[in-house]
Amino acid sequence: ITVSDTRGSDNDPSGDLISEQMAAAGHQIMGRQWVADEIDEIRAALVQYGDAQVIILTGGTGTTDRDVTWRVVQDFYDEPLPAFSILFTQLSYDEVGAAAMLSRACAGICRAPNRVLFALPGSKKACRLALEKLIVPEINHLTGHLQRQTTLAAPPVLNQGI
């Protein structure tokens, strides 16, 4: 999901990169969407992809009044993954210096249904960093944990035989 007042299907380098990198890593892309920096639009987009195991948003993690993605995403997940933000900031600092503190990139887990949400900056360079160093290397492991929890939480099937 690309959150931007200026990006769309014909001009979305960060969204294109996310789709390409995730597909190249063997993940099925359920869809793409472009929404304005509006809380209600971001919420509606997140609800639309209710069956996805992973939702990645780009844009709206900065410090302007219009940057609300991080806030909406935090309202959607049950448990934050604080190390994602810390690691992303450390890696960003190595590339852009002190400007890394201006990003509010975040990630978290939703428990019903089990899924992971990532909110990345709108910068293609920042998305590439997050994907290559953090998300792609670890996403199968993380979603595997979530799938096992769903399986373990399922009620037992009783043998109704004679």
Side-chain angles (χ1 to χ4, degrees), residues 3-5 36-39 41-42 59-70 104:
V3 181
S4 175
D5 292 328
D37 289 292
E38 298 290 342
I39 290 171
E41 288 191 38
I42 299 166
T61 62
T63 57
T64 72
D65 292 347
R66 301 284 296 151
D67 291 321
V68 296
T69 302
W70 65 275
R104 292 181 278 191

Side-chain angles (χ1 to χ4, degrees), residues 12-15 17-18 21 56-59 88 119-136:
D12 183 14
S14 295
L17 174 75
I18 292 167
Q21 292 279 332
I56 302 174
L57 299 94
T58 176
F88 179 76
L120 307 180
S123 155
K124 183 177 178 179
K125 187 174 179 181
C127 288
R128 181 179 309 281
L129 178 70
L131 289 163
E132 291 178 357
K133 299 290 186 176
L134 300 171
I135 298 172
V136 170

Side-chain angles (χ1 to χ4, degrees), residues 26-46:
H27 301 283
Q28 177 186 359
I29 308 302
M30 293 181 67
R32 289 181 62 186
Q33 192 167 352
W34 297 265
V35 298
D37 289 292
E38 298 290 342
I39 290 171
D40 291 340
E41 288 191 38
I42 299 166
R43 282 187 181 139
L46 286 168

Side-chain angles (χ1 to χ4, degrees), residues 80-154:
L81 292 171
F84 172 82
S85 299
I86 293 166
L87 290 168
F88 179 76
T89 301
Q90 288 175 337
L91 292 167
S92 296
Y93 181 80
D94 291 342
E95 291 194 6
V96 299
M101 74 174 143
L102 301 178
S103 173
R104 292 181 278 191
C106 58
I109 297 171
C110 300
R111 290 294 180 188
N114 283 335
R115 98 176 91 219
V116 185
L117 300 176
F118 293 95
L120 307 180
S123 155
K124 183 177 178 179
K125 187 174 179 181
C127 288
R128 181 179 309 281
L129 178 70
L131 289 163
E132 291 178 357
K133 299 290 186 176
L134 300 171
I135 298 172
V136 170
E138 197 58 29
I139 197 64
N140 288 337
H141 183 208
L142 181 56
T143 56
H145 278 290
L146 295 176
Q147 288 173 343
R148 278 189 294 284
Q149 288 173 352
T150 300
T151 303
L152 293 174

